[in-house]
């Protein structure tokens, strides 16, 4: 059952059996909008999208009213890798992801910036930006916006400071192709406080001054299994983890963020009951 008010809330949906199934599942889960993978997330190979599948994908969006806010790239991709083979594989795979988003009219492609694998943060950030410059030059007709995701900062992962994302964007020539995805679990784990309203406002002010709120294209709504500043990325259901309900209440009532797609990436079963429950909780936080 669709909600009357579009709060731009949704969840990551599986594309098993065809990309259009993600839209139908999104409707079942009461989503306004969804995130998808455009291909298997843990394989390099991508099965070509058939015309029929693409057409049905568009038709189901029209029929259900469920939009597709973004795709997430494959977890195998590491554009910061110092290993040449790995980097080349990642570069080509990311190019295919961009092409598939273009084919499916998916406006945003969310990606974890990458891991420098001991090569150092500066070298990693430079490598990522260099890849984007080459990719955008190669396919100027593709207007998909790449959304750098804020990370928890596990291991040698980059993107756990707003400054690092700003550095990458700074080195990219076509800045119109660059956006940011803010993940609630990740920034909390990385040491950005958002529970107290005062802290939330300060963190968002920091985001705005370093990156600009106009760069914020997508949000990932996840509670955190691990504590503040833990640098560990473990998602939990809304209000059930270390974050609690307050950060989500602040965001849901922040008028500046009203039109930003807010996507759940929390565990769920085939019935999607967990998504339905999490979305219900989020909708209840909005002050009438």
């Amino acid at each position: 059952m669709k909600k009357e008010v579009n709060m731009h809330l949704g969840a990551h949906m599986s594309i098993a059996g065809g990309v259009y199934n993600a839209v139908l599942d999104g409707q079942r889960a009461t989503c306004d909008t969804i995130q998808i993978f455009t291909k298997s997330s843990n394989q390099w190979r991508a099965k070509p999208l058939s015309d029929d599948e693409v057409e049905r994908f568009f038709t189901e969006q029209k029929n259900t009213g469920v939009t597709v806010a973004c795709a997430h790239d494959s977890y195998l991709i590491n554009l910061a890798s110092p290993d040449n083979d790995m980097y080349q594989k990642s570069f080509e795979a990311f190019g295919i992801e961009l092409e598939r988003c273009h084919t499916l009219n998916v406006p945003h492609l969310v990606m974890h910036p990458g891991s420098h694998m001991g090569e150092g943060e500066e070298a990693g950030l430079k490598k990522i930006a260099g890849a984007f410059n080459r990719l955008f030059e190669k396919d100027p007709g593709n207007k998909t916006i790449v959304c750098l995701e804020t990370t928890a900062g596990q291991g040698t992962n980059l993107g756990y400071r707003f400054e690092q994302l700003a550095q990458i964007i700074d080195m990219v020539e076509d800045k119109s192709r660059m956006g940011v995805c803010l993940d609630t679990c990740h920034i909390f784990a990385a040491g950005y406080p958002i529970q107290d309203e005062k802290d939330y406002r300060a963190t968002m002010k920091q985001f705005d001054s370093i990156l600009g709120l106009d760069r914020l294209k997508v949000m990932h709504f996840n509670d955190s299994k691990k504590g503040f500043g833990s640098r560990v990325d473990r998602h939990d259901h809304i209000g059930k983890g270390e974050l609690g309900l307050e950060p989500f209440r602040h965001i849901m009532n922040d008028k500046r963020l009203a039109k930003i797609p807010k996507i759940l990436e929390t565990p769920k079963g085939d019935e999607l009951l967990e998504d339905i429950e999490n979305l219900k909780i989020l909708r209840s936080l909005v002050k009438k």
Side-chain angles (χ1 to χ4, degrees), residues 208-222:
D208 192 25
S209 70
I210 296 165
L211 285 155
L213 273 177
D214 57 330
R215 286 253 177 246
L216 182 58
K217 306 296 182 189
V218 180
M219 295 185 91
H220 283 166
F221 265 18
N222 302 303

Side-chain angles (χ1 to χ4, degrees), residues 11-29 31 33-37 57 60-61 64 66-68 272:
H12 183 98
M13 289 292 153
S14 166
I15 59 161
V19 286
Y20 49 85
N21 281 327
V23 180
L24 296 171
D25 280 348
Q27 184 186 37
R28 277 204 302 140
C31 295
T33 192
I34 60 168
Q35 171 179 278
I36 60 169
F37 291 123
F57 179 67
E60 297 304 358
Q61 286 179 69
T64 61
V66 175
T67 59
V68 182
L272 310 175

Side-chain angles (χ1 to χ4, degrees), residues 232-246:
V232 178
D233 175 6
R234 290 286 178 279
H235 299 181
D236 208 345
H237 294 291
I238 304 300
K240 299 284 190 281
E242 295 289 327
L243 268 168
L245 284 179
E246 289 315 296

Side-chain angles (χ1 to χ4, degrees), residues 58-259:
F58 296 141
T59 303
E60 297 304 358
Q61 286 179 69
K62 209 173 282 175
N63 291 346
T64 61
V66 175
T67 59
V68 182
C70 55
H72 198 300
D73 76 336
S74 160
Y75 295 134
L76 301 174
I77 291 171
N78 182 10
L79 291 177
S81 178
D83 178 271
N84 283 338
D85 288 348
M86 180 62 181
Y87 174 79
Q88 198 48 41
K89 239 175 163 176
S90 298
F91 178 84
E92 284 163 19
F94 197 76
I96 290 166
E97 300 257 8
L98 283 170
E99 280 168 27
R100 287 168 87 91
C101 282
H102 183 66
T103 302
L104 294 167
N105 280 349
V106 175
H108 306 110
L109 177 57
V110 175
M111 59 96 67
H112 295 186
S115 301
H116 64 77
M117 314 296 285
E119 197 74 351
E121 294 186 346
E122 293 304 313
L125 297 171
K126 209 173 276 183
K127 206 145 198 191
I128 296 161
F132 294 148
N133 282 329
R134 283 171 61 205
L135 286 161
F136 297 164
E137 200 181 346
K138 214 171 97 174
D139 189 6
N142 187 333
K143 297 303 175 200
T144 309
I145 293 174
V146 171
C147 294
L148 302 170
E149 184 173 340
T150 56
T151 65
Q154 270 184 266
T156 63
N157 286 356
L158 296 160
Y160 61 92
R161 305 303 302 161
F162 297 156
E163 288 84 354
Q164 291 183 340
L165 302 185
Q167 250 181 289
I168 295 169
I169 293 167
D170 216 39
M171 291 186 274
V172 174
E173 280 152 44
D174 186 356
K175 290 177 183 27
S176 71
R177 297 283 305 275
M178 299 302 297
V180 175
C181 168
L182 186 147
D183 186 306
T184 52
C185 164
H186 298 175
I187 64 166
F188 176 73
Y192 288 101
I194 53 172
Q195 286 166 303
D196 188 85
E197 188 164 8
K198 190 169 86 310
D199 288 339
Y200 165 75
R201 296 210 171 277
T203 292
M204 290 312 287
K205 193 176 173 185
Q206 217 180 330
F207 182 97
D208 192 25
S209 70
I210 296 165
L211 285 155
L213 273 177
D214 57 330
R215 286 253 177 246
L216 182 58
K217 306 296 182 189
V218 180
M219 295 185 91
H220 283 166
F221 265 18
N222 302 303
D223 207 325
S224 178
K225 280 191 189 292
K226 301 293 178 181
F228 177 72
S230 64
R231 299 277 289 264
V232 178
D233 175 6
R234 290 286 178 279
H235 299 181
D236 208 345
H237 294 291
I238 304 300
K240 299 284 190 281
E242 295 289 327
L243 268 168
L245 284 179
E246 289 315 296
F248 302 102
R249 192 189 311 279
H250 305 324
I251 298 169
M252 289 304 295
N253 291 288
D254 189 334
K255 289 192 167 45
R256 300 169 300 173
L257 310 179
K259 293 210 163 98

